[in-house]
């Protein structure tokens, strides 16, 4: 099935005629014509890229709350993506109370979510992709990775549901991160069997341990409307640190600026007139790379889940590079149009389109596939485990209510003094009064190393752990930021100074009103250990047992650290 632009606009006109699905009328209410206004994007230039990233295996429409804490330090203070809420709206000139304001910020989230409905879903994304391809012949659809992980069905099918969905969606190329947690053998199997001749798996910065040979294709060159264009892949450079090393034991990673420059020069020498990098570095790393590597027209970025309405323009020694980031959870589709003439990019247009399921009709072919692949698991997915009285979300530098629920469950199950939960950015949102189904619970915990643990740690070790993770998040040099957000902590109170030096950011650690003693031993619960051989029940069993004893989940009191030196930082609203 394919759309002409005229046919698609007729579909949007029908969708718009009734407005959005509304529960009440107020300043947030959608208006007839909203779909036409949002998705009628005029064609520009002769080269186009469509980009989504970090969908985390979400085939169905979901709710997803953007962060109210996304702190920048050093040069990143106040620079996108480190602005939230009203500061973000003001910076990008987005009108409050609009669908776009809901898509890009946490503001009035519960009310807006009920008004505008769910976002994402591959069937709705497919409709938008087909429309844009109809107006942009030969546009390339690029997937920034974190695609095969994040849902129950992706875990239970070993990623196959997402592999087939991406093929059906028409993805041309992808770059990886969480894909590697399926293991080397499975990644190779998918590339060699499922993707052969159809989808390019790109990563210039992954090499073999023994001889330093490239493991994957570094780039692909295509002709688009008579213009040679190149896409270079960049895998998440710190995969063996953020995820288990034993899953990729034969491969080396890293940022590898020198090799990136070599690849850019190589594709330019082969005639590429437009060069983009499909990156999973994270936005701050991409900004630095854009300042150091020349000849890149744009970096289409992922990893940090930042929905950026407009690209940053980064200057370098030989020109400039656009740096973007396209959010997460199938919630956005980036559209980058280039006007390429006289052998180079002369101008561009960029738009990050929110995917509202109430505005975009579901593509029948994709919806049929989704229904089929989910059918064997539907009863298990839909089983109601509990009901949440409060908003459950995961996103932000320090904690979220979903994370708080997980550490609360771990402490109860393990009889622990405190609990740690990884600073993962993926995980969907549950509205107050909504049932916690097994599917929604698995959205928070569906990984291939789910072991829960109970470990005795000294106070000194606890501080070291917190300091290490904090440096990964707040090191002033983006190239030393090696993971997700701050480890989520249950039971333990502490103070954090993000601007302090390494080893000096964490202080005033207190447990039950008493200071942590460096030499004293404490029981610490956790999950998702990166070391091989850990033993314990999987985290989803811990959570299901907790829900059996707590059928109604009261609103969580979120345990966040006391922050120093962050007054006036536009990346934080509390």
């Amino acid at each position: 099935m394919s759309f002409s632009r005229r046919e698609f606009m007729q579909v949007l006109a029908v969708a718009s005629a009734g407005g959005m699905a509304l529960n009440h009328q107020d300043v947030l209410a959608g208006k007839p014509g909203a779909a036409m206004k949002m998705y009628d994007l005029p064609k520009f230039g002769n080269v186009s890229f469509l980009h989504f990233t970090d969908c985390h295996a979400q085939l169905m429409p979901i709710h997803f709350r953007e962060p109210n804490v996304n702190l920048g330090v050093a040069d990143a203070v106040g620079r996108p993506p480190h602005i939230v809420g009203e500061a973000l709206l003001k910076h990008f000139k987005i009108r409050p109370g609009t669908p776009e304001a809901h898509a890009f910020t946490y503001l009035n989230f519960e009310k807006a979510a009920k008004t505008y409905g769910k976002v994402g879903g591959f069937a709705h994304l497919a409709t938008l992709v087909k429309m844009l391809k109809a107006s942009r012949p030969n546009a390339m659809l690029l997937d920034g990775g974190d695609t095969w992980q994040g849902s129950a069905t992706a875990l239970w099918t070993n990623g196959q549901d997402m592999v087939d969905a991406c093929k059906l969606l028409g993805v041309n190329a992808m770059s990886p991160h969480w894909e590697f947690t399926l293991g080397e053998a499975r990644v190779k199997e998918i590339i060699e069997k499922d993707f052969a001749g159809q989808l390019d798996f790109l990563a210039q910065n992954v090499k073999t341990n023994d001889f330093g040979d490239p493991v994957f294709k570094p780039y692909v060159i295509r002709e688009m409307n008579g213009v040679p264009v190149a896409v270079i892949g960049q895998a998440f450079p710190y995969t063996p640190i953020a995820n288990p090393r034993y899953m990729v034991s034969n491969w080396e990673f890293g940022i590898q600026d020198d090799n990136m420059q070599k690849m850019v020069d190589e594709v330019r020498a082969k005639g590429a007139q437009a060069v983009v990098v499909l990156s999973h570095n994270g936005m701050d790393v991409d900004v630095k790379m854009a300042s150091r590597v020349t000849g890149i027209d744009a970096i289409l970025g992922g990893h940090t889940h930042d929905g950026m309405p407009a690209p940053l323009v980064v200057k370098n020694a030989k020109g400039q590079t656009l740096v973007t980031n396209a959010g997460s959870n199938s919630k956005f589709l980036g559209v980058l149009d280039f006007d390429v003439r006289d052998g180079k990019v002369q101008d561009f247009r960029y738009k990050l389109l929110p995917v509202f399921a109430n505005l975009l009709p579901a593509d029948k072919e994709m919806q049929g596939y989704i229904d089929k692949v989910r059918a064997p698991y539907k009863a298990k997915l839909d089983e109601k485990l509990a009901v949440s009285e409060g908003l459950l979300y995961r996103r932000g530098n320090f904690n979220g209510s979903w994370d708080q629920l997980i550490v609360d469950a771990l402490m109860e199950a393990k009889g622990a003094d405190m609990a740690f939960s990884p600073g993962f950015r993926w995980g969907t949102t549950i509205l107050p009064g909504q049932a916690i189904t097994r599917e929604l619970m698995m959205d928070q915990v569906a990984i291939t190393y789910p072991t829960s643990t109970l470990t005795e740690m000294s106070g000194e070790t606890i501080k070291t752990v917190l300091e290490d993770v904090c440096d990964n998040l707040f090191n002033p040099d983006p190239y030393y930021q090696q993971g997700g957000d701050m480890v989520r902590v249950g039971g333990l109170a502490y103070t954090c100074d993000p601007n302090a030096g390494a080893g000096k950011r964490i202080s005033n650690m207190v447990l039950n009103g008493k200071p942590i003693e460096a030499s004293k031993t404490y029981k610490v619960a956790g999950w998702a250990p990166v070391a091989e051989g850990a033993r314990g029940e999987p985290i989803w069993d811990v959570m299901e047992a907790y829900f059996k004893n707590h059928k109604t989940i009261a609103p969580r009191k979120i345990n966040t650290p006391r922050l120093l030196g962050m007054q006036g930082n536009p990346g934080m609203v509390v």
Side-chain angles (χ1 to χ4, degrees), residues 131-163:
M131 181 272 285
L132 291 166
K133 282 193 170 183
S135 64
R136 290 160 171 79
N138 304 310
M140 290 186 71
L141 177 60
L142 306 179
D143 171 7
D146 281 6
T147 306
W148 308 346
Q149 175 277 332
S151 72
T153 55
L155 182 68
W156 297 339
T157 65
N158 210 12
Q160 194 65 46
D161 65 333
M162 297 308 303
V163 168

Side-chain angles (χ1 to χ4, degrees), residues 57-62 118 122 151-154 156-157 161-162 366-383 437-440 443:
Q58 294 300 324
L59 289 175
M60 300 292 288
I62 49 93
K118 294 182 178 180
F122 258 49
S151 72
T153 55
W156 297 339
T157 65
D161 65 333
M162 297 308 303
M366 183 63 79
Q367 190 62 58
Y369 166 75
I370 293 170
D371 292 343
K372 180 180 178 181
V373 79
R374 287 169 57 85
Y377 310 103
K378 194 171 190 316
K380 192 174 180 181
L381 293 169
D382 291 345
E383 185 177 343
T437 62
R438 180 172 287 107
E439 178 170 28
L440 292 172
D443 284 350

Side-chain angles (χ1 to χ4, degrees), residues 239-276:
T239 297
I241 296 172
N243 307 102
R245 176 70 178 130
Y246 62 85
M247 293 180 171
V248 287
S249 59
N250 294 306
W251 300 339
E252 289 183 352
F253 293 71
I255 296 172
Q256 300 185 26
D257 278 351
D258 290 344
N259 198 62
M260 177 63 78
Q261 186 67 69
K262 180 181 176 182
M263 294 299 98
V264 174
D265 294 344
E266 189 171 304
V267 297
R268 290 286 186 187
K270 290 182 178 180
Q273 296 177 20
V275 177
V276 302

Side-chain angles (χ1 to χ4, degrees), residues 199-469:
L199 199 160
D200 290 303
F201 190 96
L202 305 176
Q204 69 87 24
N205 59 326
V206 184
K207 297 177 172 58
T208 60
N209 286 337
D210 48 12
F211 299 110
D213 296 326
V215 177
F216 308 107
K217 291 176 64 173
Y219 60 78
V220 63
I221 299 177
R222 297 272 183 90
E223 187 171 291
M224 191 183 303
N225 304 319
V227 179
V229 302
V231 178
I232 304 172
Q234 176 81 356
F236 180 56
Y238 295 114
T239 297
I241 296 172
N243 307 102
R245 176 70 178 130
Y246 62 85
M247 293 180 171
V248 287
S249 59
N250 294 306
W251 300 339
E252 289 183 352
F253 293 71
I255 296 172
Q256 300 185 26
D257 278 351
D258 290 344
N259 198 62
M260 177 63 78
Q261 186 67 69
K262 180 181 176 182
M263 294 299 98
V264 174
D265 294 344
E266 189 171 304
V267 297
R268 290 286 186 187
K270 290 182 178 180
Q273 296 177 20
V275 177
V276 302
V277 170
L278 181 60
S279 168
H280 206 92
N281 277 336
M283 191 155 178
D284 288 341
V285 177
D286 283 336
V287 169
K288 182 172 179 178
M289 175 178 278
S291 73
R292 292 162 60 94
V293 179
T294 61
I296 301 170
D297 292 302
I299 299 178
L300 302 177
H303 180 61
T304 39
H305 293 199
D306 302 306
M308 288 293 95
L312 292 181
V313 180
V314 180
K315 304 291 185 181
N316 55 49
K318 294 184 179 180
Q320 67 180 34
T321 298
L322 308 176
V323 177
T324 74
N325 201 288
S328 65
N329 289 279
S330 313
K331 184 179 176 179
F332 297 102
L333 182 68
V335 185
L336 176 62
D337 294 327
F338 281 141
D339 175 17
V340 182
R341 287 176 286 112
D342 300 325
K344 64 180 181 178
V345 173
Q346 302 289 345
D347 199 359
F348 76 94
R349 298 288 186 273
Y350 181 80
K351 185 77 171 180
L352 187 60
L353 296 172
V355 180
F356 281 104
N358 282 346
L359 285 185
L360 291 163
D363 176 74
K364 292 182 179 179
E365 185 180 15
M366 183 63 79
Q367 190 62 58
Y369 166 75
I370 293 170
D371 292 343
K372 180 180 178 181
V373 79
R374 287 169 57 85
Y377 310 103
K378 194 171 190 316
K380 192 174 180 181
L381 293 169
D382 291 345
E383 185 177 343
K384 177 180 170 181
L385 304 178
V387 173
S388 178
E389 292 182 337
L391 182 71
L392 292 178
Y393 64 90
R394 170 189 285 164
R395 189 67 172 90
N397 288 153
F398 294 101
N399 211 342
S401 48
W402 248 121
D403 300 295
Q404 188 64 50
L405 180 57
I406 291 172
V407 293
D408 289 348
L410 280 167
M411 287 189 291
E412 180 175 296
K414 303 290 186 181
D417 299 312
M418 65 189 74
F420 291 166
S421 185
F424 295 145
R425 294 187 180 95
W426 46 270
T428 58
T429 300
I430 290 181
L431 301 181
Q434 188 176 352
I436 303 174
T437 62
R438 180 172 287 107
E439 178 170 28
L440 292 172
M441 181 266 291
M442 289 297 289
D443 284 350
Q444 313 300 318
V445 296
I447 63 174
T448 55
Y449 51 105
T451 306
S452 62
T453 60
L454 182 64
T455 307
E456 290 192 348
M457 293 186 185
S458 68
E460 182 180 15
T461 298
I462 292 168
K463 184 177 188 299
T464 298
V465 169
L466 294 178
E467 290 282 10
D468 285 349
V469 179

Side-chain angles (χ1 to χ4, degrees), residues 5-37:
R5 185 178 184 278
R6 180 179 179 184
E7 290 170 334
F8 188 81
M9 296 315 296
Q10 290 173 341
V11 171
L12 286 189
V14 172
S16 294
M20 295 183 179
L22 304 175
N23 294 332
H24 46 74
Q25 296 290 330
D26 55 28
V27 68
L28 291 173
K31 297 179 180 179
M36 296 278 285
K37 181 180 179 181

